[in-house]
Amino acid sequence: MSASLQRGLNAFKEQIDAPVAAFFSSCVRCGLCANACLFYTETGDPKYTPIYKLEPLRRVWRQEYTFWGRLAKAVGLSKAVTDEELGDWEELVYDSCTMCGRCSMVCPVGNDITYMIRKMREGMAVAGHAPVGLVGATKRAVEIGSPMGVKLPALQAQIRHTETEFGLEIPVDKEGADYLLLLSSMEIMNFPEFIGAVAKIFKHAGVSWTISSEAFEATNSGIQIGVSEIAAELVQRIVTAAEKLKVKSVISPECGHAYMAIRWEGPNLIGRPYSFKVVHILELLDQLRAEGRLQTTGKESQRLTYHDPCQVSRRGGVVDQPRNLLNMVAEDFVEMPETGTMNWCCGAGGGVSSNERADEIRLKAFNRKKQQLDAIHPQAIVSACSNCRIHLEDGLEEYGMDMPVISLTETIAEHLAEDKS
Amino acid sequence: MSKDETLGEALRRQGITRRGFLKFCAATASMMALPPSMVPAIAAALEKAMRPSVIWLSFQECTGCTESLTRSHSPTVEGLIFDTISLDYHHTLQAASGSAAEAAREAAMEENYGKYILVVDGSIPTANPGYSTIAGISNKSMLLDTAKGAAAIVAVGTCAAYGGIPKAKPNPTGAVAVSDLIKDKPIINVSGCPPIPVVITGVLAHFLTFGTIPELDALGRPKAYYGQSIHDRCYRRPFYDKGLFANTFDDEGAKKGWCLYKLGCKGPTTYNACATTKWNEGTSFPIEAGHPCLGCSEPDFWDGGGFYKALSMPTEDITRAAVYAVGAGAAAGVALGAMNRAKKARAVKTHEKVTINDLEKGADDD
Amino acid sequence: MTETELLLWVRGPALQIATVIFVLGIVVRIAGILMLGRKKNLAEARGSAVAGGLRTILSRSIPDPGTLQRSTFNVVAGYIFHIGLFITILLFAPHILLIEDVFGVSWPALPTPIVDATTVVTIIALLAVLIHRLRHPVMRFLSGFQDYLVWLVTILPLVTGYLAFHRVGIAPPPTLLAIHILSVELLMVVFPFTKLMHTFSLFMARYYNGAISGYKGVKS
Ligand code: SF4
Ligand code: SF4
Ligand code: SF4
């Protein structure tokens, strides 16, 4: 079997549900969503209007599921969606959409455009119109276990390194632990300090946890590319490991779309509820804070702001927790002009970061973040997604801005009160 | 009364003073929307005008129009103008009947050929000439015959002007208006059921003064009298604008004199002078008496969807139509929905498992 | 056909036909949307989908500050003409009578001079909206035949209503009234097949949007 237009259109038909029909029925073509999307605001090109990115899907809905559309199709009045069109749309659906969900917050009739982009990708992928970079990442995720090709020995090396550096034990495959920590490849490769930070905090707070040698990768390329079966397979690996180790909860690391994948999409992908809970690391830290198990000393004196990773806050619901935590350790915490669920995306989510072709537009779109930062001039940006961090750094460099991007978890770890640990 | 008496002479002979005459001229001028400076000219013209010969034909009518014109309570200049015209034929009012009357009509036609004014009340049946005849002559042929020598035709009342009540559905006699049959003469429609008397004298005065017919609206009515809607001149209008309506004929609103729109008032689509000249020597008019306007000066007013139904209300049962549509819509919607579901289920069934090797197009397929 | 016959026809049979198409079309479309169904969410909820959905139905009527700032014209003009339509359609005495006749419910009317002024404002707003649609790069890009058709059938009843109310002398008043009612009937007939459907479907769209977010504990 190979990808084909046929399979793509069939997937569209499968994906269209009542919300999609309600959304397409309601769009008044007011164009407000354009101004919500960084790919439009920073390019000024109308083709980046969010709802327009869904045009082929809309046409399939009309032709297949509405009375007049069916009629028009039957008498040959409306043309079927062609492979060329899907090819043309590839750039709109993948390169210039991070599935950040901002447009879905703004549309006056209430269209959840992002929900539809996610569905549209299911058809685009099987029609053979997913970006090469994303196909490669997905292949590596399935075959090697990580989109970046990170294998277990690499993780083991980082664990050993962290253990010696911090003098802490990092439990691996410990059956019966309360929490199973997942990691993203980016953390393992680019931000290994994260592992040490978590270990430090958990020791301080007395959290029983472990890492699985069989399923440590939290990210899910299947969701980004839009293939539910692959996404389900990746989720299933984690579920199997978690059930084998009999943990009570699984922790999603500082990664936005990993959280989306394991917390919100996972059960729906594998078709059953989990036997364990899923929490984002910030949710857990905030819970520890509320329980008084997290004691910090000293505060960061520099002016800090918080970049909400879209999938963690707007699409994930973890909005207040990072602010509670930041207020513990920051003296001068300032919010960007539009923040929380209305924050602007870094430009690299939703698979854009795995798609080298999109680099140019991604950096262009970063100008939106720059304007937000220029409004408040922070000295450092705190975030809770390693993908955001890498691409914030990339963008800042591109725009000649000198500003460190730091992890919230690591910042908390640095301020842990000594006496308890 | 001699035939070659002028109008002025005739009026004076009947004891109308110069002052009274001028007053009438002034009133006529203002009714016709002419400037006051025209009053002397009107007076002079009328003074000298020869008493016109008028032939009055009554067809399918109820005599209400004639009643309206003759039942003035006190003699007025308008009434006297009437008295002074040479009404050479009017089969309700004249003493003669039968062939003697017809002979008078023919004589008047001959004597004043091309100059007489033809006044018509009542509609003309066309389904069968026998439905209405006078002295064995059908209305239609009498009208066609008499119209030939007329200088102008005044269609008095809504029946003559637009067919009126005889033309109301299902129009058993095939009634038509004068203007449906006569195309080559100036026709002035003085509509109303009945029309206001002063409008007729005003039209006659205009004709006598200027020798022309007054300016008419799209429905052939003198603009001077039919230029404004009842609604625009109605003294209850402020209540309409405030949204204060009588809901029944005896509720608080009715007692307070609120607008009668909800009770079916046709004032907004009716053009007539009732609200300004009023009836019975300017005493009142229907709305003032607490009854909504029926719209009697408009074509087909009898079939206008109910006298007591507000203009904006539907004339058919919309509720039932909507209820049926909901039922039919639900059935059709469920059917379409079921087809959609089946289609979606088929798509799910056709779905073949996607693996990482399926994400690139095969060589044989594009 | 005489003018009275025309008026009678538009107040009677034509209105019946338009009502049937309008109601039937809307019911078919709503059924068509709902019957496509959606999957049950198996992830553990953090918030209430129902509460989120209901909340968004209301909250989406208020733009977020950023949108208000970036799309000021759209938002303001949109507000004006929607409120204008609401007032002119639902608070004009003769319209209320019609509603009372069909549905058996009624409410107080606004004074006609206010409705009259609102009509003018609404017409101006709609004209401005059209100019904006023709000039703004995004709106022009997104617009097709349907968008202009919908604009036309929306403004027509306002214009014809204004003419009928003032009995502007281009036609006899019953004809003006008939044209006004006809233009409304045109709107009703076009309604179910175009984006005018958003009048009803936006409640569903907003609900779904809010429910998807509310389930995750996000206010959308
Ligand atoms: S989800 Fe974000 S990136 Fe995608 S269209 Fe909407 S606003 Fe743009
Ligand atoms: S904001 Fe909503 S209604 Fe407006 S064009 Fe975008 S999707 Fe359509
Ligand atoms: S009573 Fe009739 S004419 Fe007078 S204001 Fe009311 S609707 Fe108009």
Side-chain angles (χ1 to χ4, degrees):
Chain A
M1 272 307 295
S2 57
S4 70
L5 174 65
Q6 215 46 48
R7 292 182 80 182
L9 297 183
N10 193 65
F12 283 174
K13 282 195 253 176
E14 279 179 77
Q15 290 295 325
I16 291 167
D17 58 2
V20 172
F23 298 152
F24 283 140
S25 301
S26 301
C27 176
V28 290
R29 267 146 322 251
C30 65
L32 288 193
C33 49
N35 272 337
C37 177
L38 68 172
F39 292 98
Y40 170 74
T41 60
E42 301 320 303
T43 60
D45 189 336
K47 74 174 177 182
Y48 295 125
T49 303
I51 195 71
Y52 183 70
K53 298 174 185 171
L54 294 160
E55 193 55 19
L57 184 66
R58 190 190 70 82
R59 283 182 44 207
V60 169
W61 161 73
R62 217 183 126 70
Q63 289 172 359
E64 303 293 340
Y65 295 124
T66 69
F67 176 74
W68 289 110
R70 289 175 86 127
L71 197 71
K73 191 187 161 203
V75 301
L77 270 177
S78 73
K79 287 188 282 126
V81 172
T82 64
D83 200 50
E84 286 68 45
E85 279 171 87
L86 294 188
D88 291 344
W89 253 264
E90 181 180 322
E91 190 236 338
L92 299 180
V93 178
Y94 288 100
D95 301 21
S96 58
C97 177
T98 58
M99 300 208 279
C100 76
R102 210 172 177 282
C103 49
S104 301
M105 298 293 285
V106 160
C107 169
V109 299
N111 289 352
D112 191 341
I113 298 163
T114 320
Y115 174 87
M116 298 195 279
I117 295 267
R118 166 71 184 86
K119 283 176 167 284
M120 182 158 168
R121 287 189 181 182
E122 290 280 336
M124 294 294 282
V126 286
H129 291 297
V132 201
L134 208 42
V135 173
T138 310
K139 273 199 171 136
R140 286 189 294 277
V142 174
E143 285 163 0
I144 304 174
S146 142
M148 293 170 71
V150 178
K151 293 184 184 165
L152 183 62
L155 172 65
Q156 285 167 332
Q158 293 291 18
I159 289 178
R160 269 196 307 278
H161 176 84
T162 310
E163 283 184 327
T164 44
E165 192 189 325
F166 290 88
L168 288 169
E169 194 223 331
I170 297 187
V172 177
D173 294 332
K174 195 174 96 189
E175 223 186 280
D178 286 346
Y179 291 95
L180 170 65
L181 177 72
L182 303 177
L183 296 163
S184 75
S185 295
M186 280 195 192
E187 277 151 349
I188 301 169
M189 299 312 291
N190 303 59
F191 307 112
E193 312 78 27
F194 176 77
I195 306 172
V198 172
K200 234 176 109 184
I201 296 171
F202 283 178
K203 177 150 183 274
H204 164 93
V207 173
S208 133
W209 67 295
T210 187
I211 290 177
S212 164
S213 61
E214 285 164 22
F216 53 85
E217 176 62 56
T219 65
N220 193 318
S221 307
I223 285 174
Q224 296 180 327
I225 199 167
V227 180
S228 287
E229 285 102 321
I230 295 177
E233 188 183 331
L234 299 177
V235 168
Q236 187 59 50
R237 290 177 188 171
I238 297 168
V239 173
T240 309
E243 283 172 352
K244 191 167 145 198
L245 293 173
K246 303 193 181 64
V247 296
K248 296 198 186 85
S249 299
V250 168
I251 305 168
S252 163
E254 281 201 351
C255 172
H257 94 266
Y259 180 59
M260 168 60 66
I262 190 74
R263 171 68 174 92
W264 298 114
E265 286 221 21
N268 297 306
L269 288 166
I270 64 168
R272 65 172 172 90
Y274 296 149
S275 56
F276 48 85
K277 285 188 176 309
V278 177
V279 291
H280 189 265
I281 181 74
L282 295 187
E283 268 183 290
L284 177 57
L285 294 187
D286 190 49
Q287 185 197 327
L288 295 176
R289 176 198 61 82
E291 290 167 2
R293 292 163 69 187
L294 195 63
Q295 303 296 332
T296 57
T297 63
K299 290 200 167 188
E300 294 283 327
S301 58
Q302 52 182 346
R303 193 173 165 87
L304 295 181
T305 191
Y306 178 68
H307 166 79
D308 287 272
C310 309
Q311 306 301 320
V312 172
S313 65
R314 178 160 49 238
R315 302 299 279 183
V318 182
V319 187
D320 298 334
Q321 294 88 335
R323 291 168 169 84
N324 296 339
L325 293 167
L326 256 176
N327 282 327
M328 284 178 89
V329 295
E331 247 172 25
D332 189 10
F333 166 46
V334 276
E335 293 275 17
M336 282 180 269
E338 287 170 291
T339 184
T341 53
M342 290 311 287
N343 187 38
W344 289 90
C345 179
C346 66
V352 170
S353 56
S354 312
N355 174 7
E356 301 79 22
R357 191 180 61 198
D359 281 352
E360 195 189 325
I361 190 160
R362 166 171 66 78
L363 285 167
K364 207 164 178 196
F366 186 81
N367 190 37
R368 184 38 55 179
K369 195 88 244 164
K370 176 183 186 301
Q371 289 166 36
Q372 266 192 299
L373 294 169
D374 284 349
I376 54 164
H377 294 294
Q379 285 161 303
I381 308 170
V382 183
S383 196
C385 168
S386 46
N387 190 53
C388 291
R389 278 171 75 189
I390 290 197
H391 292 94
L392 285 170
E393 282 172 359
D394 195 28
L396 291 169
E397 193 186 313
E398 171 82 13
Y399 285 81
M401 297 164 83
D402 190 19
M403 214 177 277
V405 184
I406 56 184
S407 143
L408 180 49
T409 308
E410 288 166 33
T411 311
I412 295 285
E414 276 163 30
H415 287 275
L416 281 184
E418 289 300 330
D419 52 348
K420 255 196 99 185
S421 56
Chain B
M1 258 197 264
S2 91
K3 282 256 155 86
D4 36 8
E5 203 176 18
T6 66
L7 202 64
E9 285 160 7
L11 285 171
R12 260 188 304 284
R13 186 167 47 70
Q14 301 198 30
I16 300 293
T17 60
R18 175 93 192 138
R19 208 154 148 246
F21 178 64
L22 281 177
K23 223 171 114 197
F24 166 75
C25 292
T28 306
S30 87
M31 281 299 277
M32 293 190 295
L34 296 171
S37 56
M38 287 295 286
V39 174
I42 293 173
L46 284 180
E47 185 83 40
K48 280 198 239 91
M50 296 302 289
R51 296 172 61 225
S53 169
V54 171
I55 295 176
W56 185 304
L57 300 179
S58 295
F59 299 140
Q60 293 192 124
E61 44 80 54
C62 67
T63 316
C65 296
T66 303
E67 288 283 323
S68 151
L69 295 167
T70 52
R71 288 289 166 108
S72 306
H73 285 269
S74 57
T76 58
V77 185
E78 298 95 289
L80 287 168
I81 285 256
F82 251 111
D83 293 344
T84 48
I85 60 174
S86 168
L87 192 51
D88 292 323
Y89 177 86
H90 187 304
H91 73 221
T92 309
L93 300 180
Q94 71 194 145
S97 65
S99 47
E102 294 318 306
R105 177 173 65 89
E106 271 152 32
M109 281 169 63
E110 207 160 305
E111 194 176 328
N112 302 296
Y113 198 84
K115 287 184 288 192
Y116 61 85
I117 296 173
L118 172 59
V119 177
V120 179
D121 69 338
S123 65
I124 303 99
T126 56
N128 182 332
Y131 281 150
S132 175
T133 61
I134 297 160
I137 306 167
S138 78
N139 289 173
K140 186 177 169 183
S141 57
M142 185 180 283
L143 172 66
L144 295 179
D145 189 40
T146 317
K148 274 191 215 124
I153 302 174
V154 184
V156 167
T158 302
C159 297
Y162 310 124
I165 294 173
K167 187 174 169 256
K169 283 198 180 87
N171 190 3
T173 64
V176 297
V178 172
S179 56
D180 290 327
L181 296 173
I182 310 291
K183 304 286 180 195
D184 56 354
K185 294 280 169 186
I187 300 172
I188 305 154
N189 287 333
V190 181
S191 67
C193 190
I196 301 173
V198 72
V199 176
I200 299 192
T201 50
V203 168
L204 288 176
H206 187 283
F207 187 75
L208 295 178
T209 310
F210 301 105
T212 58
I213 60 166
E215 199 192 344
L216 306 178
D217 70 3
L219 290 169
R221 300 176 294 199
K223 272 195 180 158
Y225 301 99
Y226 296 89
Q228 278 176 309
S229 73
I230 301 290
H231 187 59
D232 282 340
R233 301 307 303 267
C234 178
Y235 76 105
R236 296 195 190 218
R237 179 62 186 265
F239 296 114
Y240 172 90
D241 284 335
K242 281 196 212 105
L244 298 173
F245 300 99
N247 289 306
T248 62
F249 281 105
D250 56 359
D251 69 354
E252 257 326 282
K255 285 179 192 139
K256 288 195 176 128
W258 289 353
C259 169
L260 302 169
Y261 186 90
K262 282 194 178 183
L263 291 169
C265 184
K266 302 294 179 289
T269 50
T270 304
Y271 281 53
N272 205 342
C274 305
T276 40
T277 51
K278 304 196 181 173
W279 287 81
N280 300 329
E281 317 304 314
T283 308
S284 85
F285 71 116
I287 290 173
E288 203 168 347
H291 193 281
C293 167
L294 301 183
C296 76
S297 58
E298 299 299 316
D300 303 321
F301 76 101
W302 201 263
D303 294 321
F307 289 154
Y308 302 102
K309 193 152 207 163
L311 261 174
S312 65
M313 285 195 186
T315 50
E316 300 281 347
D317 190 345
I318 299 303
T319 318
R320 219 181 45 208
V323 169
Y324 287 159
V326 169
V334 167
L336 186 78
M339 278 157 74
N340 284 348
R341 284 176 88 101
K343 183 180 269 186
K344 189 168 163 176
R346 266 200 310 281
V348 173
K349 233 172 108 189
T350 344
H351 182 106
E352 287 167 68
K353 191 167 162 49
V354 189
T355 70
I356 42 160
N357 301 316
D358 295 343
L359 301 181
E360 273 144 17
K361 284 198 188 282
D364 53 352
D365 132 340
D366 40 25
Chain C
M1 192 182 255
T2 67
E3 57 192 58
T4 307
E5 276 165 357
L6 176 67
L7 181 56
L8 269 189
W9 184 73
V10 301
R11 281 171 69 194
L15 188 57
Q16 275 181 324
I17 295 168
T19 305
V20 168
I21 296 177
F22 179 71
V23 174
L24 193 128
I26 289 170
V27 174
V28 167
R29 289 224 33 199
I30 291 178
I33 293 170
L34 293 178
M35 278 187 69
L36 272 171
R38 61 186 173 134
K39 285 208 186 107
K40 187 176 159 18
N41 196 341
L42 299 171
E44 192 196 345
R46 183 191 276 132
S48 157
V50 177
L54 297 178
R55 189 185 168 280
T56 299
I57 288 180
L58 293 178
S59 68
R60 238 358 122 84
S61 305
I62 316 270
D64 64 282
T67 298
L68 178 59
Q69 196 196 338
R70 276 181 282 271
S71 311
T72 316
F73 177 86
N74 274 34
V75 174
V76 173
Y79 261 110
I80 293 177
F81 87 74
H82 278 95
I83 293 172
L85 286 172
F86 178 84
I87 290 176
T88 49
I89 295 173
L90 295 179
L91 298 178
F92 183 50
H95 297 170
I96 299 174
L97 277 183
L98 176 117
I99 292 164
E100 191 179 356
D101 193 61
V102 176
F103 296 106
V105 289
S106 78
W107 47 83
L110 273 184
T112 46
I114 295 181
V115 180
D116 192 30
T118 308
T119 310
V120 176
V121 172
T122 312
I123 291 174
I124 293 172
L126 277 172
L127 286 172
V129 161
L130 177 70
I131 293 169
H132 189 66
R133 186 171 282 285
L134 289 166
R135 291 183 49 187
H136 190 279
V138 170
M139 291 186 77
R140 193 179 54 227
F141 178 76
L142 291 181
S143 303
F145 170 74
Q146 202 206 92
D147 298 282
Y148 297 106
L149 173 75
V150 163
W151 179 87
L152 185 71
V153 298
T154 307
I155 199 169
L156 272 181
L158 286 160
V159 173
T160 58
Y162 186 81
L163 294 182
F165 178 74
H166 291 281
R167 290 180 295 285
V168 176
I170 49 169
T175 311
L176 285 177
L177 187 57
I179 291 173
H180 172 57
I181 299 174
L182 260 181
S183 70
V184 175
E185 285 159 1
L186 178 68
L187 176 77
M188 289 168 76
V189 168
V190 167
F191 193 101
F193 312 110
T194 57
K195 66 178 185 179
L196 288 166
M197 259 312 278
H198 80 275
T199 314
F200 296 98
S201 65
L202 81 75
F203 292 99
M204 289 186 266
R206 286 183 180 180
Y207 178 83
Y208 287 136
N209 184 318
I212 292 166
S213 286
Y215 194 84
K216 297 188 283 199
V218 180
K219 290 180 182 152
S220 79

